Amino acid sequence: MNDDTDSEANADVRARILDAAARLVAGGGVAALTTRAVAAAAAVQPPTLYRLFGDKRGLLDAVAEHGLAAFIAGKIAATPHADPVQDLRDAWDGYVAFGLANPAVFAIMNEIGSLASRSPAALAGIAVLRARVRRLALAGRLRMAEERAVALIHAVGVGAVTTLLAVPEDERDPGLATAARDAVLAALVVDPPGPVGDGLAPLAVSLRARLDAADALTPGERLLLRELMDRLAG
């Protein structure tokens, strides 16, 4: 058997194991994912799991990546809403819906120290969020620095889903995630016409977002202006 055939066989076995592991996690949570259960469901020997994934932690991270990848691919492919605020609102709602529908994947992705939180799919998701925040900045609608806005959205979004998942489904507050979303948007977004009544922060954030396109500036001048704009953005 040549190397290409070996690679294809490994890919097929890996996909079969991931599908089996994802079904187990979806049905019984992280606790249901044992080496013996996965091996039986995928019709492989336990050593195969260790050869392809290293250990249970590696398999958990791969399951989370597998579950998140399709969701993130859909976000990347989606046409942005013309209104950057509505675009962010829709993205929030989609993230909450995904987390509630995939509690085990969500838990693995957001476990402190988990490698899954730095996986390609997770990093792609953060990149999509950064792009949405950048659109707000370019429109002069963002009242704080972009990185802080990204961190705030992510922190509150994770917190809202975690809080809802901790409560039995029939006891959840159906308006909690929406209230959290609206509170974050109120903290982030300057209403049109924007900067006139809201001080220098939105102007500074918007200008900082455009610095890379300023061909007349040297790299040193861009660096200095970024520092000044960050200070004005608070």
PDB file of all heavy atoms in Angstrom, residues 1-15:
ATOM      1  N   MET A   1       0.856  -1.199   0.000  1.00  0.00           N
ATOM      2  CA  MET A   1       0.000   0.000   0.000  1.00  0.00           C
ATOM      3  C   MET A   1       0.889   1.245   0.000  1.00  0.00           C
ATOM      4  O   MET A   1       1.819   1.353   0.792  1.00  0.00           O
ATOM      5  CB  MET A   1      -0.890   0.000   1.248  1.00  0.00           C
ATOM      6  CG  MET A   1      -1.912   1.136   1.269  1.00  0.00           C
ATOM      7  SD  MET A   1      -3.010   1.030   2.717  1.00  0.00           S
ATOM      8  CE  MET A   1      -3.976  -0.414   2.300  1.00  0.00           C
ATOM      9  N   ASN A   2       0.633   2.178  -0.946  1.00  0.00           N
ATOM     10  CA  ASN A   2       1.493   3.362  -1.020  1.00  0.00           C
ATOM     11  C   ASN A   2       1.047   4.420  -0.021  1.00  0.00           C
ATOM     12  O   ASN A   2       0.023   4.289   0.657  1.00  0.00           O
ATOM     13  CB  ASN A   2       1.512   3.926  -2.446  1.00  0.00           C
ATOM     14  CG  ASN A   2       0.133   4.331  -2.937  1.00  0.00           C
ATOM     15  OD1 ASN A   2      -0.666   4.878  -2.171  1.00  0.00           O
ATOM     16  ND2 ASN A   2      -0.164   4.073  -4.211  1.00  0.00           N
ATOM     17  N   ASP A   3       1.845   5.515   0.049  1.00  0.00           N
ATOM     18  CA  ASP A   3       1.572   6.561   1.037  1.00  0.00           C
ATOM     19  C   ASP A   3       0.229   7.225   0.805  1.00  0.00           C
ATOM     20  O   ASP A   3      -0.482   7.567   1.756  1.00  0.00           O
ATOM     21  CB  ASP A   3       2.692   7.602   1.002  1.00  0.00           C
ATOM     22  CG  ASP A   3       3.992   7.053   1.541  1.00  0.00           C
ATOM     23  OD1 ASP A   3       3.957   6.013   2.234  1.00  0.00           O
ATOM     24  OD2 ASP A   3       5.053   7.665   1.268  1.00  0.00           O
ATOM     25  N   ASP A   4      -0.142   7.450  -0.468  1.00  0.00           N
ATOM     26  CA  ASP A   4      -1.422   8.087  -0.761  1.00  0.00           C
ATOM     27  C   ASP A   4      -2.584   7.226  -0.277  1.00  0.00           C
ATOM     28  O   ASP A   4      -3.559   7.729   0.293  1.00  0.00           O
ATOM     29  CB  ASP A   4      -1.566   8.342  -2.267  1.00  0.00           C
ATOM     30  CG  ASP A   4      -0.644   9.447  -2.750  1.00  0.00           C
ATOM     31  OD1 ASP A   4      -0.184  10.223  -1.883  1.00  0.00           O
ATOM     32  OD2 ASP A   4      -0.377   9.532  -3.957  1.00  0.00           O
ATOM     33  N   THR A   5      -2.481   5.924  -0.496  1.00  0.00           N
ATOM     34  CA  THR A   5      -3.537   5.022  -0.050  1.00  0.00           C
ATOM     35  C   THR A   5      -3.624   5.007   1.464  1.00  0.00           C
ATOM     36  O   THR A   5      -4.713   4.996   2.047  1.00  0.00           O
ATOM     37  CB  THR A   5      -3.282   3.600  -0.586  1.00  0.00           C
ATOM     38  OG1 THR A   5      -3.171   3.646  -2.005  1.00  0.00           O
ATOM     39  CG2 THR A   5      -4.425   2.676  -0.205  1.00  0.00           C
ATOM     40  N   ASP A   6      -2.453   4.994   2.129  1.00  0.00           N
ATOM     41  CA  ASP A   6      -2.432   5.051   3.594  1.00  0.00           C
ATOM     42  C   ASP A   6      -3.109   6.319   4.100  1.00  0.00           C
ATOM     43  O   ASP A   6      -3.878   6.291   5.064  1.00  0.00           O
ATOM     44  CB  ASP A   6      -0.990   5.011   4.110  1.00  0.00           C
ATOM     45  CG  ASP A   6      -0.386   3.618   3.994  1.00  0.00           C
ATOM     46  OD1 ASP A   6      -1.163   2.654   3.880  1.00  0.00           O
ATOM     47  OD2 ASP A   6       0.855   3.511   4.023  1.00  0.00           O
ATOM     48  N   SER A   7      -2.807   7.439   3.464  1.00  0.00           N
ATOM     49  CA  SER A   7      -3.383   8.717   3.891  1.00  0.00           C
ATOM     50  C   SER A   7      -4.896   8.724   3.719  1.00  0.00           C
ATOM     51  O   SER A   7      -5.636   9.209   4.589  1.00  0.00           O
ATOM     52  CB  SER A   7      -2.762   9.870   3.084  1.00  0.00           C
ATOM     53  OG  SER A   7      -1.388   9.977   3.340  1.00  0.00           O
ATOM     54  N   GLU A   8      -5.355   8.187   2.601  1.00  0.00           N
ATOM     55  CA  GLU A   8      -6.797   8.140   2.361  1.00  0.00           C
ATOM     56  C   GLU A   8      -7.489   7.229   3.373  1.00  0.00           C
ATOM     57  O   GLU A   8      -8.566   7.552   3.882  1.00  0.00           O
ATOM     58  CB  GLU A   8      -7.065   7.645   0.938  1.00  0.00           C
ATOM     59  CG  GLU A   8      -6.680   8.644  -0.145  1.00  0.00           C
ATOM     60  CD  GLU A   8      -6.844   8.074  -1.550  1.00  0.00           C
ATOM     61  OE1 GLU A   8      -7.341   6.923  -1.663  1.00  0.00           O
ATOM     62  OE2 GLU A   8      -6.480   8.766  -2.511  1.00  0.00           O
ATOM     63  N   ALA A   9      -6.855   6.099   3.671  1.00  0.00           N
ATOM     64  CA  ALA A   9      -7.431   5.177   4.649  1.00  0.00           C
ATOM     65  C   ALA A   9      -7.499   5.827   6.026  1.00  0.00           C
ATOM     66  O   ALA A   9      -8.512   5.719   6.733  1.00  0.00           O
ATOM     67  CB  ALA A   9      -6.605   3.897   4.706  1.00  0.00           C
ATOM     68  N   ASN A  10      -6.432   6.517   6.421  1.00  0.00           N
ATOM     69  CA  ASN A  10      -6.426   7.205   7.708  1.00  0.00           C
ATOM     70  C   ASN A  10      -7.496   8.284   7.762  1.00  0.00           C
ATOM     71  O   ASN A  10      -8.155   8.467   8.791  1.00  0.00           O
ATOM     72  CB  ASN A  10      -5.050   7.821   7.974  1.00  0.00           C
ATOM     73  CG  ASN A  10      -4.022   6.790   8.401  1.00  0.00           C
ATOM     74  OD1 ASN A  10      -4.374   5.737   8.919  1.00  0.00           O
ATOM     75  ND2 ASN A  10      -2.750   7.090   8.186  1.00  0.00           N
ATOM     76  N   ALA A  11      -7.660   9.014   6.658  1.00  0.00           N
ATOM     77  CA  ALA A  11      -8.679  10.062   6.610  1.00  0.00           C
ATOM     78  C   ALA A  11     -10.081   9.480   6.752  1.00  0.00           C
ATOM     79  O   ALA A  11     -10.935  10.036   7.458  1.00  0.00           O
ATOM     80  CB  ALA A  11      -8.564  10.849   5.306  1.00  0.00           C
ATOM     81  N   ASP A  12     -10.315   8.346   6.104  1.00  0.00           N
ATOM     82  CA  ASP A  12     -11.623   7.703   6.205  1.00  0.00           C
ATOM     83  C   ASP A  12     -11.894   7.220   7.627  1.00  0.00           C
ATOM     84  O   ASP A  12     -12.993   7.412   8.170  1.00  0.00           O
ATOM     85  CB  ASP A  12     -11.715   6.517   5.236  1.00  0.00           C
ATOM     86  CG  ASP A  12     -11.795   6.965   3.780  1.00  0.00           C
ATOM     87  OD1 ASP A  12     -12.122   8.144   3.550  1.00  0.00           O
ATOM     88  OD2 ASP A  12     -11.526   6.139   2.886  1.00  0.00           O
ATOM     89  N   VAL A  13     -10.894   6.592   8.234  1.00  0.00           N
ATOM     90  CA  VAL A  13     -11.049   6.100   9.601  1.00  0.00           C
ATOM     91  C   VAL A  13     -11.237   7.272  10.567  1.00  0.00           C
ATOM     92  O   VAL A  13     -12.084   7.229  11.474  1.00  0.00           O
ATOM     93  CB  VAL A  13      -9.829   5.249  10.015  1.00  0.00           C
ATOM     94  CG1 VAL A  13      -9.904   4.890  11.504  1.00  0.00           C
ATOM     95  CG2 VAL A  13      -9.751   3.992   9.182  1.00  0.00           C
ATOM     96  N   ARG A  14     -10.464   8.337  10.357  1.00  0.00           N
ATOM     97  CA  ARG A  14     -10.579   9.518  11.218  1.00  0.00           C
ATOM     98  C   ARG A  14     -11.983  10.115  11.133  1.00  0.00           C
ATOM     99  O   ARG A  14     -12.579  10.473  12.155  1.00  0.00           O
ATOM    100  CB  ARG A  14      -9.533  10.564  10.804  1.00  0.00           C
ATOM    101  CG  ARG A  14      -9.360  11.695  11.790  1.00  0.00           C
ATOM    102  CD  ARG A  14      -8.250  12.642  11.341  1.00  0.00           C
ATOM    103  NE  ARG A  14      -7.870  13.542  12.401  1.00  0.00           N
ATOM    104  CZ  ARG A  14      -8.517  14.669  12.717  1.00  0.00           C
ATOM    105  NH1 ARG A  14      -9.584  15.008  12.017  1.00  0.00           N
ATOM    106  NH2 ARG A  14      -8.101  15.432  13.707  1.00  0.00           N
ATOM    107  N   ALA A  15     -12.502  10.219   9.916  1.00  0.00           N
ATOM    108  CA  ALA A  15     -13.843  10.776   9.735  1.00  0.00           C
ATOM    109  C   ALA A  15     -14.885   9.892  10.412  1.00  0.00           C
ATOM    110  O   ALA A  15     -15.834  10.394  11.031  1.00  0.00           O
ATOM    111  CB  ALA A  15     -14.155  10.920   8.250  1.00  0.00           C
TER     112      ALA A  15
END
